[in-house]
Amino acid sequence: MLLSYFHTSEAVPPLRSPEEDGPDAAVVIDVLRATTTIAWALQNGAEAIQAFADLGALEAAAADWPAARRLRAGERGGKRVEGYDLGNSPLAVTPERVESKRIFLSTTNGTRSLDRVQAVPLLLTACLPNRTAVARRLIERRALRVWIVGSGWEGDYSLEDSLAAGAVASAAIELAVAPHMGVRCANDEMLAALALWQQWRHDTETCLRSASHGQRLIGLGNHDADFACCAAVDSLEIVPLQAEPGVLRAS
């Protein structure tokens, strides 16, 4: 398995098919907070997450869904979009709120990365809470070329996404020993993410709080519970998987 890491959607190369040496799997990461929220929403019984880079497209799709079975979740600049049911907090997607409902989601950064690699045959989302479960799924599927895509912040590098990319890679390397499946880093960005994980693996919350987006959230108000949730390594077994274009379901 060859692992490549791209810091943001803007850094992702043009997609090619697996037959043309393109990726057969992609993992999208937005630790603070989209992919953490997606994982917890599915864990708590949401029917699916339908992701959109654009709010207008979200509104159009949500309008075609029964009102009693939908929730609109929108975040821009770290804040909930005015008039939407949810923002982008994993604490808000409680079983009472999301069970059996489809969540129409658009965020500042994470849903753009999902859109960028939507055509990859196997598309998963990862966060620190499900990093080992995601690595295990990649190995079970015998993925050969995996693109791990961070979300960053409006096109810029983010520390916390790189931390989680290194966490997923580290788990894959450890798990691949038993099936004798070699895992290698295909670019320097992946090697750097692994080194970052080794530095911060025992204090993930401090890393998240120190990152520029962590500082941005702190400036917006009290997000202590969000930080604790997003930093909780291996607290989930759920793996969000794209079941149809733009639609993620529990697997």
Side-chain angles (χ1 to χ4, degrees):
M1 182 192 299
L2 279 175
L3 300 178
S4 300
Y5 177 51
F6 305 100
H7 298 143
T8 66
S9 59
E10 292 83 355
V12 175
L15 281 178
R16 299 193 303 269
S17 69
E19 293 74 25
E20 298 173 309
D21 293 329
D24 55 349
V27 178
V28 169
I29 294 172
D30 187 356
V31 172
L32 291 174
R33 295 163 283 171
T35 56
T36 308
T37 299
I38 288 168
W40 272 108
L42 293 174
Q43 172 71 24
N44 287 336
E47 178 264 336
I49 312 294
Q50 191 162 346
F52 299 86
D54 175 72
L55 287 172
L58 183 157
E59 292 284 355
D64 291 335
W65 204 260
R69 293 172 46 216
R70 74 175 185 229
L71 291 168
R72 294 178 308 148
E75 172 267 320
R76 290 296 183 269
K79 300 179 181 179
R80 178 171 61 88
V81 174
E82 185 176 354
Y84 275 48
D85 304 295
L86 299 166
N88 191 24
S89 170
L91 301 180
V93 290
T94 60
E96 298 77 16
R97 195 80 192 273
V98 306
E99 188 171 8
S100 301
K101 293 182 179 178
R102 176 166 294 206
I103 299 175
F104 294 82
L105 174 70
S106 181
T107 70
T108 306
N109 304 293
T111 52
R112 291 208 320 251
S113 289
L114 278 165
D115 185 68
R116 181 68 185 85
V117 289
Q118 189 181 100
V120 177
L122 175 65
L123 176 56
L124 313 173
T125 68
C127 51
L128 290 171
N130 73 346
R131 64 108 191 190
T132 296
V134 168
R136 185 177 298 113
R137 185 60 50 82
L138 292 172
I139 290 169
E140 289 170 352
R141 293 293 189 95
R142 294 280 174 178
L144 297 177
R145 287 179 295 277
V146 180
W147 285 7
I148 301 179
V149 182
S151 297
W153 179 261
E154 297 184 347
D156 291 334
Y157 173 90
S158 67
L159 189 71
E160 71 277 4
D161 290 348
S162 297
L163 177 74
V168 171
S170 178
I173 291 167
E174 293 168 11
L175 290 170
V177 172
H180 305 292
M181 182 180 183
V183 176
R184 293 189 292 121
C185 296
N187 62 1
D188 287 350
E189 290 87 343
M190 189 74 263
L191 282 168
L194 265 173
L196 184 68
W197 170 247
Q198 292 301 322
Q199 174 69 26
W200 289 98
R201 62 185 303 167
H202 299 301
D203 197 3
T204 54
E205 186 171 341
T206 297
C207 183
L208 268 55
R209 287 176 175 273
S210 301
S212 59
H213 188 38
Q215 290 294 302
R216 190 177 294 110
L217 287 177
I218 290 169
L220 292 173
N222 184 349
H223 286 87
D224 287 352
D226 272 0
F227 279 116
C229 180
C230 293
V233 178
D234 290 336
S235 57
L236 288 174
E237 286 294 323
I238 199 124
V239 178
L241 181 150
Q242 181 173 259
E244 57 190 89
V247 177
L248 298 157
R249 290 196 171 92
S251 71

